[in-house]
Amino acid sequence: MPAARRRAYHHVAAVILIAAAGAAVQDVETHRFDNGLTLHVAPGHPAPVAAIQAWVGVGSADESPQLAGAAHVVEHMLFKGSMRYGRGELVHAIERGGGEINAWTSLDQTVLHAVIGRDHVEAALDAIGDTLLEPTVDPGELARERQVILEEIRHGTDDPSRSVVQNLFATAFVAHPYRRPVIGTADTVASLRERELVEFFRRYYVADNLTLVVAGDVDPARVRRAVDKRFRAMPSGRPQRNVAAEPRQTATRAIATLRDLGEAYVSVGFHVPAARHPDLAALDVAALLLGQNESARLDQLRVRDNLVTSAHAHVHSLRDPGLFVLSATAKPGDARRAVGALVEQAAKLADEVTDTELEKACVAAETGFVRELETVQGRARSLGWYSTVAGDPQFGHVYLDRVRAMRRHDLSTAMRRYLRADNASVAAILPKRRASTTVFARDATVRVRKALATAPVQVAIADRRVVLPNGARLIVRRDPSVPVVAMRAVWQGGQRVEDAAHAGSSTLIARLITRGCVTAEGTIDAAKLADRVDRLGGSLGAVAGRNSFAVAAEWLSRSWKPGFALFAACIANPTFADLERERRGILDDQAAQQDSPSQLVFGLFTRTLYGAHPYSRDVLGTPAAINAMTPAELRAFHALHHPPSAMVLTVVGDVDVDEVVALATAQFTQPPTATGSKPQTIVAPKPPVFDGRSAAAREVYQYLDRAQGHLVIGFPGTTIDAPDRFALEVLISMLGGQSGRLFAELREKRALVYRISAHSIEGIDPGFVAIYLSCSPDKLDEANRAVREVLDRVRTAGVTPDELARAQSSLIGRHQIAMQRRSAIANAIAYHEAYGLGWQTWDAYDDAIRSVRQADVANAVATYLRDDRAITATVRPKVETPAAKKRGKILTPARPTTPPPRRTPARPRGNA
């Protein structure tokens, strides 16, 4: 068959396969049970079989260093018996149904998977459910299985291909747990205790952290009933991930080790984004072109150059950012040259990829996706992976659309973005006769740099501020250093302009405004809008705060124009569909806040502090106001407070400034409002004056039956434009954080509290300063006294030069880290302009912090930490002591209230 016809034949065959499989994949029923468990059922298969997979959201990346290997040990112990199934009986139960069962543990998840005859699905679900809900831990079984795992570790250590990849991850990642082996080390596995494993299981094997997938010749209704019956007793709860962030790599890294081998193993890795990122499709196609078939480019190093004995390319797509890996085996004398050749071939691909190559690779990527769907286990695996890693069981369609739409420019851009010398790590395992691992590592670093050497690119950053014909202020910052574009539209408003009857209107509008809009093509509902955003590789949302309302979007530079059209349509012509759904969501959130002691105590504090001022309420509003809102009222509120003519619009990233101005002018054509270019606002009452208020009036309590007590000691705060706000921020930094005075005194020295923090929340009207802590109820009084002692020492003795310097350095460093993203810059510019601070002051934060002196901090202490203005709010279990009754009054909150969010220095204060 001629080559052209062969390519066309393969392409048509792949499309036919995809069309058929796509129809099947869309037939997925998803059900979320009351306890939080998620079930995906994919019915339909020509064979009378089914696959059952349980995806638990815990892998080695969720372990602490001391518990390395725990997820894998727990996976092994699942097969050692449960309450109703003894040792080995789970396997026997599956095998009796003509099936098989096994499990794996990875960096991001643990998966129990089984294939079984269709008539035995319910029995299999019962057995698997018993295993996941009530496994037993027999000390003898644990001891024996520990030995099995230690043998597995030794087996892996003996495999050089596995070891070199582990060495690469340990070199590329310096902070993230991806650097550790999935199965742990011999030392950590040997030291794991039964109690630690039980606690690990109880923390992660909960309903909200489990996704069940059933695919094949099944009845969805029967599956749903069987799952509900067996898994309804599984406890709820979503464990919080506390994974260390990986710092940006700044130089090539290389490591080499010696073994008794006949050939060398080398791997080169480059950091790439997490699995959902739009660039992953291009990187997958690049890996196919480089090293996943016999015609791949890296294979020419074997066939043509006789330089390597094998060569491969692979993308490790993970929940957090992963690696693009080039690997090879080579004769001992060729190992150094092999490193440079691998990178050279990858770099050439970015410059030389042809349309024919790209078409072939895209068809191969599509075909691989489709063939995964031929078997029930493949289909279940695809659904489980996309659901748990990408966050959407149907994300495969988004991925395929990206592959189909790919052009040479897309692949080249992605390759150049990540194939950089300062983003590269090299690992090698060499035969022992090699003279020096140090020399090899140094030479590998030089070869990588040489292969990726390019002329430095001068990035031209340009800013422009214009007033659009409708009165809106547009600020564009051209920064082509990264092909990303961030957009923000900001209005003064939010909670501050809401009266009691409209409390929560801004938040409700924020949840509705990007769930449907009217464009020139017609009305787009929420599902279609979300699909378009995904296909453009972007994000679109809105947020309401105490002082503002904002719509936010981010796009790739290649898709920013259609993305801007959707962004503008949501602002100018939202449909406000799904009102009842979002109303229920807010009411549910309000109800949930009543179970959060930290939110209750901040609500108690802010109501006492602000009285009738809107800041006394929560941004979620009140149940009465949310229930009473009608579509007409929301539209009127939105038109009054968020007209396009009054917005500040910022666009930051890889754009042409003139194109942005022209497009914004075209999209926002209506003239200013009849009352001018600014929206009508409700004048908020001035916050109350606190001088002279009795101590009893400033000490309030609420009873809640919880194991811990929660305390806020707070004061009236400052505004977003106050000259002393930076001095106050430095003061709060000295008090809060793990190196602050409060943490050192109350936790490290006295062991009184579990959590303690300090906050300064500014606003257009004065905000507040607050110290929050949680501790055992019987320690509340002592903790209260200890906080006041710390504050007294600050008032009397001031702060030291070392404290000042440390706080300034910390604030500036966190600010610089926060300002890496274009979205952070767009935020800062928009809010500074909207709050009247001037958009050009957005990057003056570092200098403002550096200019703070000890005397400025002392003035801030005297102004804001006045003991006669302190309000103490306590939420604790009920006590009946006369002293408590005499000391304060009992308040019952009229509405839920949230604690202040962690502040981002990049944003002007007041949008909390």
Side-chain angles (χ1 to χ4, degrees):
M1 184 183 295
R5 286 185 59 196
R6 186 166 58 250
R7 285 196 301 271
Y9 170 79
H10 286 311
H11 180 72
V12 171
V15 170
I16 292 172
L17 277 170
I18 292 160
V25 171
Q26 291 171 359
D27 186 19
V28 177
E29 297 187 16
T30 297
H31 187 78
R32 187 170 176 85
F33 294 88
D34 291 341
N35 62 353
L37 182 145
T38 298
L39 168 68
H40 301 303
V41 184
H45 195 271
V49 294
I52 302 171
Q53 296 188 2
W55 290 68
V56 186
V58 59
S60 61
D62 300 287
E63 301 162 345
S64 65
Q66 297 76 21
L67 295 179
H72 182 244
V73 174
V74 169
E75 174 229 304
H76 274 240
M77 294 304 297
L78 293 176
F79 290 84
K80 299 304 172 183
S82 58
M83 291 298 292
R84 294 192 296 112
Y85 291 80
R87 179 178 181 271
E89 290 183 9
L90 169 65
V91 175
H92 294 159
I94 301 300
E95 289 179 346
R96 278 195 298 271
E100 57 186 14
I101 187 168
N102 212 325
W104 80 76
T105 304
S106 69
L107 294 165
D108 293 326
Q109 63 270 133
T110 303
V111 182
L112 193 70
H113 55 98
V115 181
I116 197 163
R118 66 183 176 192
D119 296 331
H120 303 276
V121 169
E122 292 168 61
L125 283 169
D126 180 76
I128 292 171
D130 201 65
T131 297
L132 294 175
L133 269 71
E134 300 179 289
T136 58
V137 180
D138 178 83
E141 288 291 347
L142 177 58
R144 286 188 289 273
E145 201 61 27
R146 193 192 309 273
Q147 294 305 312
V148 172
I149 295 171
L150 291 173
E151 285 299 324
E152 186 178 355
I153 291 173
R154 286 188 282 270
H155 175 76
T157 302
D158 288 341
D159 183 348
S161 61
R162 183 182 299 182
S163 296
V164 74
V165 173
Q166 177 55 53
N167 292 351
L168 177 65
F169 271 73
T171 304
F173 294 98
V174 298
H176 196 286
Y178 285 165
R179 70 186 316 271
R180 299 195 295 266
V182 169
I183 62 175
T185 66
D187 289 340
T188 60
V189 170
S191 65
L192 287 171
R193 305 272 67 85
E194 178 182 335
R195 174 181 54 80
E196 293 172 321
L197 294 172
V198 171
E199 290 175 353
F200 189 90
F201 173 86
R202 289 175 176 169
R203 178 180 180 186
Y204 290 103
Y205 280 70
V206 289
D208 295 272
N209 203 39
L210 174 63
T211 298
L212 282 177
V213 183
V214 180
D217 188 11
V218 296
D219 178 351
R222 292 182 62 179
V223 169
R224 188 167 60 251
R225 287 194 297 269
V227 170
D228 183 39
K229 177 181 177 181
R230 190 63 196 88
F231 287 85
R232 69 176 59 164
M234 193 172 213
S236 300
R238 180 175 293 278
Q240 295 297 314
R241 298 189 72 220
N242 297 306
V243 176
E246 181 66 25
R248 181 175 178 177
Q249 188 170 334
T250 58
T252 307
R253 301 171 185 156
I255 187 174
T257 58
L258 301 178
R259 286 213 198 157
D260 189 10
L261 300 171
E263 60 182 356
Y265 291 75
V266 297
S267 285
V268 185
F270 301 86
H271 292 280
V272 295
R276 194 177 174 87
H277 195 280
D279 284 345
L280 265 293
L283 293 171
D284 279 338
V285 171
L288 279 166
L289 285 167
L290 284 169
Q292 294 188 15
N293 55 58
E294 292 184 1
S295 62
R297 291 194 172 209
L298 293 183
D299 200 53
Q300 296 305 304
L301 300 177
R302 176 183 65 87
V303 176
R304 182 191 61 206
D305 302 335
N306 197 30
L307 180 61
V308 302
T309 54
S310 67
H312 306 280
H314 181 69
V315 182
H316 290 268
S317 300
L318 303 170
R319 179 172 56 187
D320 294 331
L323 290 180
F324 182 93
V325 177
L326 309 170
S327 59
T329 55
K331 297 174 183 177
D334 294 331
R336 294 187 190 181
R337 288 196 301 136
V339 171
L342 287 172
V343 180
E344 285 173 4
Q345 285 295 323
K348 286 180 180 179
L349 178 66
D351 297 323
E352 300 174 359
V353 63
T354 66
D355 288 332
T356 301
E357 279 184 302
L358 183 60
E359 179 189 11
K360 181 173 66 176
C362 288
V363 168
E366 294 179 346
T367 305
F369 176 88
V370 170
R371 287 178 176 167
E372 179 81 352
L373 307 179
E374 284 188 297
T375 65
V376 292
Q377 58 267 41
R379 193 173 179 188
R381 185 165 52 245
S382 177
L383 283 172
W385 191 89
Y386 284 122
S387 178
T388 59
V389 178
D392 178 2
Q394 300 285 13
F395 185 75
H397 291 295
V398 176
Y399 175 85
L400 276 182
D401 287 341
R402 290 171 180 170
V403 170
R404 292 166 180 162
M406 195 173 304
R407 301 294 180 264
R408 285 186 299 164
H409 169 77
D410 302 324
L411 186 143
S412 298
T413 300
M415 291 289 285
R416 293 192 185 101
R417 187 172 299 146
Y418 305 108
L419 264 66
R420 307 187 318 272
D422 64 355
N423 192 41
S425 297
V426 181
I429 298 179
L430 309 172
K432 280 188 175 179
R433 56 181 175 273
R434 297 291 309 175
S436 171
T437 56
T438 303
V439 171
F440 179 92
R442 186 167 57 243
D443 182 79
T445 299
V446 171
R447 290 178 185 271
V448 169
R449 290 173 181 167
K450 183 178 179 181
L452 296 173
T454 56
V457 178
Q458 299 298 322
V459 176
I461 296 177
D463 297 330
R464 187 188 302 178
R465 179 187 186 276
V466 299
V467 178
L468 298 179
N470 74 338
R473 290 163 285 172
L474 169 66
I475 301 161
V476 186
R477 180 176 176 85
R478 178 183 181 273
D479 181 355
S481 59
V482 179
V484 172
V485 179
M487 303 168 184
R488 296 294 185 270
V490 174
W491 294 259
Q492 278 196 30
Q495 177 184 351
R496 184 176 173 272
V497 301
E498 297 171 350
D499 59 17
H502 294 86
S505 295
S506 300
T507 296
L508 186 51
I509 291 171
R511 296 193 180 189
L512 288 168
I513 197 170
T514 58
R515 291 195 58 78
C517 60
V518 180
T519 69
E521 303 169 2
T523 300
I524 304 176
D525 63 20
K528 290 180 180 178
L529 182 58
D531 182 66
R532 288 197 185 186
V533 171
D534 276 343
R535 290 173 189 271
L536 293 173
S539 64
L540 180 63
V543 62
R546 299 168 74 238
N547 304 279
S548 63
F549 178 87
V551 181
E554 292 179 56
W555 316 98
L556 298 175
S557 58
R558 66 173 180 259
S559 62
W560 79 264
K561 291 179 183 178
F564 185 87
L566 294 176
F567 173 74
C570 287
I571 292 170
N573 297 298
T575 59
F576 289 136
D578 292 339
L579 172 58
E580 292 308 316
R581 169 180 167 171
E582 298 304 327
R583 190 200 309 273
R584 288 194 302 272
I586 290 182
L587 293 172
D588 288 344
D589 291 344
Q590 291 173 346
Q593 285 180 339
Q594 296 296 324
D595 294 325
S596 170
S598 61
Q599 296 185 16
L600 290 177
V601 75
F602 269 101
L604 190 59
F605 165 71
T606 53
R607 289 194 299 279
T608 306
L609 175 64
Y610 287 113
H613 191 279
Y615 286 172
S616 68
R617 297 188 294 267
D618 185 73
V619 293
L620 291 179
T622 64
I626 293 295
N627 271 315
M629 287 178 197
T630 66
E633 286 179 309
L634 287 174
R635 291 180 184 279
F637 187 95
H638 179 59
L640 181 66
H641 294 290
H642 315 134
S645 58
M647 71 180 169
V648 173
L649 176 61
T650 59
V651 179
V652 177
D654 187 10
V655 295
D656 180 275
V657 175
D658 291 331
E659 285 185 336
V660 175
V661 174
L663 196 55
T665 301
Q667 291 286 348
F668 299 107
T669 56
Q670 70 266 41
T673 59
T675 55
S677 62
K678 293 186 177 181
Q680 297 295 305
T681 60
I682 297 170
V683 179
K686 292 294 183 184
V689 177
F690 301 91
D691 300 273
R693 189 183 293 193
S694 70
R698 290 186 283 107
E699 191 168 356
V700 291
Y701 293 83
Q702 180 183 339
Y703 292 148
L704 186 70
D705 187 15
R706 293 291 187 274
Q708 282 195 313
H710 298 257
L711 174 72
V712 168
I713 301 174
F715 310 83
T718 191
T719 59
I720 57 176
D721 58 354
D724 61 359
R725 67 189 186 277
F726 297 107
L728 178 58
E729 186 160 354
V730 172
L731 170 61
I732 294 301
S733 180
M734 293 178 188
L735 291 173
Q738 293 190 7
S739 62
R741 288 194 182 193
L742 292 167
F743 189 90
E745 181 69 21
L746 276 79
R747 177 160 170 170
E748 295 296 304
K749 183 178 179 180
R750 302 198 195 184
L752 289 174
V753 301
Y754 171 69
R755 180 181 292 112
I756 187 164
S757 56
H759 309 269
S760 174
I761 303 299
E762 301 96 348
I764 293 177
D765 295 326
F768 63 82
V769 174
I771 295 162
Y772 162 76
L773 63 86
S774 62
C775 66
S776 174
D778 59 2
K779 295 181 178 179
L780 276 170
D781 290 341
E782 186 179 355
N784 189 344
R785 290 193 297 271
V787 170
R788 295 179 186 277
E789 290 169 7
V790 171
L791 298 183
D792 284 341
R793 286 196 294 271
V794 173
R795 295 186 189 106
T796 56
V799 299
T800 67
D802 180 65
E803 281 183 302
L804 175 61
R806 187 168 63 245
Q808 289 171 317
S809 178
S810 175
L811 288 170
I812 291 170
R814 293 205 305 268
H815 174 257
Q816 291 172 345
I817 292 171
M819 295 304 291
Q820 295 179 90
R821 297 188 178 278
R822 303 304 170 271
S823 57
I825 296 173
N827 261 342
I829 293 174
Y831 285 109
H832 276 78
E833 179 73 9
Y835 290 151
L837 303 175
W839 71 273
Q840 290 177 314
T841 63
W842 73 270
D843 62 351
Y845 178 84
D846 293 3
D847 291 339
I849 293 295
R850 289 190 188 98
S851 69
V852 174
R853 299 292 177 259
Q854 282 179 272
D856 301 324
V857 178
N859 289 335
V861 172
T863 302
Y864 298 106
L865 297 186
R866 288 178 50 176
D867 194 51
D868 63 333
R869 291 187 169 194
I871 291 174
T872 304
T874 306
V875 170
R876 60 167 302 158
K878 190 171 184 178
V879 291
E880 295 295 343
T881 63
K885 294 180 179 179
K886 181 178 179 181
R887 187 166 57 242
K889 61 181 180 178
I890 309 302
L891 296 183
T892 300
R895 61 192 67 85
T897 319
T898 56
R902 180 170 180 150
R903 300 182 26 178
T904 302
R907 178 184 295 176
R909 309 305 170 248
N911 194 46

